[in-house]
C-alpha cells in the first residue's frame, strides 16, 4: 500500500480488528502521506488503553491531515464522547458514532455549543444509541444538514417532544433518517397529535416551516397528520417508507398514495420489503399512484405484488413513453445503491427484486459518495514491514 504511488484509494475500513498503539501510528502516517479522506473502524478495538490512545493521540494527529474529512466508528462500548468531540479534527465534515452507548442529547448539545463544528461538520450519524430522559427542549446544531438516528431507543414520554424539536429546528433542505424508532405504544399514539400541532403552527406561521429534502421513515407509523405534514414540504424529493404498509396493515395507505400522486416535488420513492413487512396486494395501487406522479425512481423490491402488477406496470411504462422515455431502460433488478448526487437518467426507474440492503451502510459508500476502492483489510502489518 505504501509503495503504490498510483493508488487512488481515498478511504480505509477496518472490521473486527484488535489494534495496538503502533498500528494506529502507522495508520496516521499513511493517512497523512496518501491524503486519505475517510476512516472507518468497525468493532476494531478491544483494549481500553488503545481506545484512549485512539481518542487522544491518534485523533489529534489527524488534525494535520487537511484531506481527512470523514470518521466512522461503531461498537466501542461506553466511549468517552466528550473526549472524542474534544479531539475530533476540526476539518471533519461527516461523523458517525454507531452503537457506542452514547447520549444523543449530550452529543447534540456539545456540537451545538462548540464553535469548532460550525464551519465544517454537516453529517451526523448517531444510530443505535439512546435518548436520555430530558425536561428541556432538545436543540439541534445549525451546522447539520444530514441527521441519521436509526434504531434509536426513546424513553417513555420522550418520542413526541424530541421529534417536535427536530422538525422545528433543522436546517432547510436537510436529509433526515429515523429508521425503526423504538418507543412505547403510548408514545407512538401521540405522534399524530404532535404532527397536527406542527401543521397548525406552520399554517399560521409559514415562515417557521423547516423544509426537508429527504426523509427515511422506514418501519414507523403513518398517520393522517404525518401525511399532512409531508404535503406541506415543498422541497421533499425523496422519501422511504419501507415496512410502513402491508396487506394486513394498510392504515393511511390510501392517503399516502394520494400524497404521492399530488406531490409536485417528490422524485424518489422507496417502499421495499422491510423485516417481515411487504406491500403484497397493495403493490398495484402504489404503482398506479406513481404513474400519476412526478416520481422518477421507484423501489418496491420484495413487494410480492404478483401478476396483478402487470397491468399497472404496463400503464407505468406507457406513461413513460408519453413523456418521451425509453421503456427498455426500466430496471427490474435490485439496485444495491443509488447515488443521491445524480438524478436517474430515465423518468421511471423500478427496482422490483432482490434483498433489502443493509440499513447501516458505511459513511464511505452512503454519505460522502467516494468513488474509489476502500480497503477492508483487518490488519496493517504490511505497512509495518515497509518501515
Amino acid at each position: 500500500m505504501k509503495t503504490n504511488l498510483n493508488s487512488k484509494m481515498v478511504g480505509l475500513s477496518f472490521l473486527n480488528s484488535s489494534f495496538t498503539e503502533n498500528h494506529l501510528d502507522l495508520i496516521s502516517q499513511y493517512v497523512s502521506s496518501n491524503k486519505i479522506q475517510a476512516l472507518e473502524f468497525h468493532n476494531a478495538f478491544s483494549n481500553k488503553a488503545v481506545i484512549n490512545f485512539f481518542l487522544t493521540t491518534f485523533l489529534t494527529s489527524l488534525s494535520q491531515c487537511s484531506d481527512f474529512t470523514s470518521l466512522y466508528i461503531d461498537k466501542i462500548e461506553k466511549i468517552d464522547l466528550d473526549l472524542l468531540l474534544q479531539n475530533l479534527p476540526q476539518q471533519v465534515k461527516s461523523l458517525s458514532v454507531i452503537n457506542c452507548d452514547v447520549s444523543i442529547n449530550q452529543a447534540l448539545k456539545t456540537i451545538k455549543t462548540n464553535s469548532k463544528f460550525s464551519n465544517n461538520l454537516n453529517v451526523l450519524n448517531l444510530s443505535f444509541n439512546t435518548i436520555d430522559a430530558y425536561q428541556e427542549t432538545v436543540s439541534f446544531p445549525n451546522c447539520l444538514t444530514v441527521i441519521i438516528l436509526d434504531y434509536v431507543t426513546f424513553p417513555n414520554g420522550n418520542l413526541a417532544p424530541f421529534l417536535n424539536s427536530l422538525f422545528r429546528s433543522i436546517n432547510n433542505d436537510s436529509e433526515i433518517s429515523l429508521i425503526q424508532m423504538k418507543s412505547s405504544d403510548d408514545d407512538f399514539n401521540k405522534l399524530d397529535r404532535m404532527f397536527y400541532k406542527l401543521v397548525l403552527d406552520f399554517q399560521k406561521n409559514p415562515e417557521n416551516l423547516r423544509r426537508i429534502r429527504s426523509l427515511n421513515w422506514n418501519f414507523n407509523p403513518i398517520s393522517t397528520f404525518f401525511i399532512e405534514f409531508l404535503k406541506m414540504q415543498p422541497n421533499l424529493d425523496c422519501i422511504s417508507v419501507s415496512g410502513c404498509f402491508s396487506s394486513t396493515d394498510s392504515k393511511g395507505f390510501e392517503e399516502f398514495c394520494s400524497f404521492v400522486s399530488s406531490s409536485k416535488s417528490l422524485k424518489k420513492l422507496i417502499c421495499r420489503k422491510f423485516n417481515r413487512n411487504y406491500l403484497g396486494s397493495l403493490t398495484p395501487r402504489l404503482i398506479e399512484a406513481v404513474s400519476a406522479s412526478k416520481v422518477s425512481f421507484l423501489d418496491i423490491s420484495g413487494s410480492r405484488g404478483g401478476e396483478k402488477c402487470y397491468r399497472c406496470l404496463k400503464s407505468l411504462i406507457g406513461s413513460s413513453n408519453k413523456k418521451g422515455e425509453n421503456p427498455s431502460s426500466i430496471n427490474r433488478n435490485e439496485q444495491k445503491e443509488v447515488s443521491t448526487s445524480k438524478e436517474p437518467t430515465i423518468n421511471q426507474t423500478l427496482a422490483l427484486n432482490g434483498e433489502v440492503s443493509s440499513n447501516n451502510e458505511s459513511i464511505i459508500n452512503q454519505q460522502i459518495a467516494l468513488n474509489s476502492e476502500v480497503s477492508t483489510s483487518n490488519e496493517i502489518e504490511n505497512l509495518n514491514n515497509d518501515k
Side-chain angles (χ1 to χ4, degrees):
M1 289 168 60
K2 291 178 65 176
T3 58
N4 184 2
L5 300 180
N6 296 318
S7 173
K8 296 181 180 180
M9 187 178 297
V10 292
L12 297 172
S13 180
F14 302 96
L15 173 65
N16 296 331
S17 304
S18 186
F19 287 126
T20 65
E21 294 179 8
N22 182 51
H23 290 151
L24 291 176
D25 280 334
L26 289 170
I27 293 174
S28 177
Q29 295 169 23
Y30 188 80
V31 170
S32 177
S33 61
N34 290 271
K35 297 183 178 182
I36 296 298
Q37 299 175 25
L39 286 174
E40 298 183 3
F41 297 93
H42 303 265
N43 191 31
F45 303 100
S46 58
N47 184 289
K48 290 185 178 180
V50 176
I51 293 174
N52 187 68
F53 182 86
F54 170 81
L55 294 175
T56 54
T57 305
F58 177 76
L59 288 182
T60 302
S61 71
L62 297 181
S63 297
Q64 308 303 316
C65 308
S66 59
D67 292 288
F68 175 71
T69 58
S70 178
L71 176 65
Y72 182 110
I73 57 178
D74 69 18
K75 294 185 180 179
I76 300 181
E77 187 176 356
K78 295 184 179 179
I79 192 171
D80 189 332
L81 181 66
D82 286 336
L83 194 60
L84 168 65
L85 295 176
Q86 175 184 324
N87 294 314
L88 186 72
Q90 187 168 348
Q91 73 273 15
V92 168
K93 298 179 180 180
S94 176
L95 173 64
S96 291
V97 184
I98 313 296
N99 199 14
C100 290
D101 196 26
V102 303
S103 163
I104 292 174
N105 312 57
Q106 178 190 354
L108 293 172
K109 183 177 181 180
T110 302
I111 292 171
K112 184 175 178 63
T113 56
N114 192 327
S115 60
K116 87 171 187 177
F117 298 113
S118 60
N119 293 325
N120 292 308
L121 186 65
N122 52 53
V123 176
L124 181 65
N125 186 344
L126 295 175
S127 299
F128 290 94
N129 290 299
T130 59
I131 301 289
D132 288 337
Y134 61 90
Q135 302 186 354
E136 56 181 319
T137 301
V138 175
S139 186
F140 288 82
N142 297 327
C143 57
L144 299 177
T145 57
V146 178
I147 301 174
I148 304 172
L149 300 172
D150 298 336
Y151 304 97
V152 166
T153 300
F154 293 83
N156 190 42
N158 284 255
L159 179 61
F162 184 90
L163 293 184
N164 182 63
S165 296
L166 172 67
F167 291 126
R168 288 181 184 274
S169 61
I170 55 175
N171 280 318
N172 283 329
D173 287 326
S174 290
E175 299 179 33
I176 309 297
S177 184
L178 297 163
I179 295 174
Q180 196 172 348
M181 298 179 293
K182 300 179 181 181
S183 191
S184 66
D185 290 341
D186 184 55
D187 274 6
F188 279 118
N189 290 334
K190 294 176 181 177
L191 284 186
D192 197 48
R193 178 68 178 173
M194 181 213 73
F195 281 114
Y196 165 75
K197 291 181 178 180
L198 279 177
V199 168
L200 196 63
D201 181 42
F202 293 153
Q203 286 175 342
K204 293 179 178 179
N205 305 286
E207 68 278 5
N208 293 338
L209 176 66
R210 315 307 293 176
R211 293 168 173 80
I212 301 171
R213 185 164 68 88
S214 174
L215 179 61
N216 196 337
W217 193 256
N218 294 351
F219 213 68
N220 292 319
I222 303 286
S223 64
T224 298
F225 282 100
F226 170 74
I227 295 174
E228 291 301 315
F229 173 73
L230 295 182
K231 290 179 180 179
M232 297 189 73
Q233 295 293 330
N235 299 346
L236 183 67
D237 67 8
C238 175
I239 188 167
S240 181
V241 290
S242 299
C244 295
F245 302 111
S246 70
S247 54
T248 58
D249 182 9
S250 58
K251 182 180 178 181
F253 182 68
E254 275 301 323
E255 294 167 284
F256 181 77
C257 288
S258 296
F259 157 71
V260 170
S261 298
S262 61
S263 174
K264 295 180 179 179
S265 62
L266 191 64
K267 298 294 190 297
K268 182 176 180 180
L269 172 60
I270 302 170
C271 191
R272 305 162 64 109
K273 178 186 176 186
F274 189 96
N275 294 338
R276 296 182 179 181
N277 280 18
Y278 53 89
L279 284 171
S281 60
L282 302 179
T283 309
R285 175 68 184 98
L286 186 62
I287 296 175
E288 289 174 356
V290 170
S291 297
S293 75
K294 295 184 180 296
V295 171
S296 58
F297 180 96
L298 172 64
D299 185 348
I300 47 175
S301 303
S303 61
R304 302 183 183 180
E307 61 184 18
K308 292 182 179 180
C309 291
Y310 293 154
R311 181 175 296 179
C312 301
L313 289 171
K314 182 178 180 181
S315 175
L316 180 61
I317 295 171
S319 69
S320 298
N321 287 339
K322 291 178 181 178
K323 297 173 184 177
E325 303 298 335
N326 179 6
S328 65
S329 60
I330 292 180
N331 184 357
R332 289 182 173 80
N333 294 319
E334 163 72 354
Q335 300 223 348
K336 292 291 185 183
E337 285 187 31
V338 178
S339 172
T340 58
S341 61
K342 297 180 181 179
E343 288 295 324
T345 56
I346 62 173
N347 189 58
Q348 302 288 357
T349 304
L350 300 182
L352 300 180
N353 302 309
E355 298 176 355
V356 178
S357 63
S358 169
N359 291 307
N360 189 20
E361 293 184 14
S362 65
I363 285 297
I364 291 177
N365 292 325
Q366 182 180 2
Q367 293 171 7
I368 60 173
L370 300 176
N371 294 319
S372 301
E373 286 188 339
V374 178
S375 169
T376 56
S377 172
N378 305 21
E379 305 296 338
I380 54 170
E381 293 298 337
N382 289 339
L383 299 180
N384 196 24
N385 294 337
D386 289 334
K387 287 191 69 179

